[in-house]
């Protein structure tokens, strides 16, 4: 009985068993990396404004608002770095999921207590928190879970797969991060 060529190749061959899971994992990783880097840069650009935002939206922080304002971008960048390095990507998925979960709870709390406040997702901007921000975070949590699942079911993306999905993943990540602002463009204001 003839043996197929692919059955005789070692599993480490980069051309064997390359399927859609690697592309899904690469897209999700780069999307999450873009979101965390972009969000962290936006917050770090004006750390004082971000600190004021935290003090205004979570008054119980008191003097710890400065430390938290500095820690949030650092943890976001750490999550992005962990997502890019093998085998620490598993820690990156965990940190990303925890961050997104905490941010989602924070947004839900803001929606209930102070819906006119900015979400602070991309630093201290003027866009009031909305359901679009919560939906965005839930989508990012789904992306994180799907990416984690895809990476677990594959040997991991090759550089070529990262190269193919880098631009679309970055554009998608930045678009998701600014989903609240985009949604506000389509809201209609009643004319009186």
């Amino acid at each position: 009985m003839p043996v197929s060529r692919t059955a005789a190749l070692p599993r480490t061959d980069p051309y064997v068993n390359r399927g859609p899971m690697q592309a899904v994992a690469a897209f999700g990783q780069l999307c999450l990396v873009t979101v965390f880097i972009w969000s962290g840069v936006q917050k770090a650009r004006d750390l004082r404004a971000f600190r004021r935002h935290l003090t205004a939206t979570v008054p119980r922080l008191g003097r710890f608002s400065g430390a938290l304002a500095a820690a949030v971008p650092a943890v976001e960048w750490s999550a992005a770095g962990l997502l890019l390095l093998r085998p620490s990507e598993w820690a990156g998925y965990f940190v990303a999921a925890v961050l997104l979960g905490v941010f989602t709870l924070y947004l839900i709390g803001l929606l209930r207590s102070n819906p006119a406040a900015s979400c602070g997702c991309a630093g201290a901007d003027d866009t009031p928190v909305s359901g679009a921000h919560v939906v965005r975070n839930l989508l990012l949590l789904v992306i994180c879970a799907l990416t984690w699942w895809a990476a677990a079911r594959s040997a991991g993306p090759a550089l070529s797969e990262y190269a193919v999905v880098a631009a679309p993943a970055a554009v998608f990540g930045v678009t998701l991060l600014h989903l609240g602002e985009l949604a506000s463009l389509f809201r209609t204001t009643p004319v009186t």
Side-chain angles (χ1 to χ4, degrees), residues 161-185:
E161 285 148 341
Y162 284 115
V164 167
V165 301
V171 169
F172 189 72
V174 171
T175 302
L176 269 180
L177 187 59
H178 294 285
L179 187 62
E181 292 86 346
L182 291 170
S184 69
L185 291 174

Side-chain angles (χ1 to χ4, degrees), residues 100 103-112 119 121 128-141 176 179-180:
L100 290 167
F103 291 162
T104 303
L105 292 174
Y106 170 73
L107 290 172
I108 291 169
L110 268 183
L111 270 173
R112 297 178 81 190
C119 74
C121 302
V129 68
S130 70
H133 294 101
V134 174
V135 168
R136 183 257 335 270
N137 277 23
L138 293 174
L139 284 171
L140 286 169
L141 276 166
L176 269 180
L179 187 62

Side-chain angles (χ1 to χ4, degrees), residues 50-124:
F50 185 53
R51 179 183 181 189
R52 284 191 303 272
H53 167 78
L54 289 174
T55 302
T57 58
V58 190
R60 295 181 303 266
L61 286 175
R63 61 186 175 142
F64 296 109
S65 62
L68 184 61
V72 168
V75 173
E76 287 177 321
W77 295 331
S78 297
L82 288 170
L83 284 166
L84 289 175
L85 299 174
R86 283 192 191 137
S88 69
E89 69 211 28
W90 304 109
Y93 295 130
F94 177 76
V95 172
V98 169
L99 275 173
L100 290 167
V102 169
F103 291 162
T104 303
L105 292 174
Y106 170 73
L107 290 172
I108 291 169
L110 268 183
L111 270 173
R112 297 178 81 190
S113 66
N114 191 1
S118 162
C119 74
C121 302

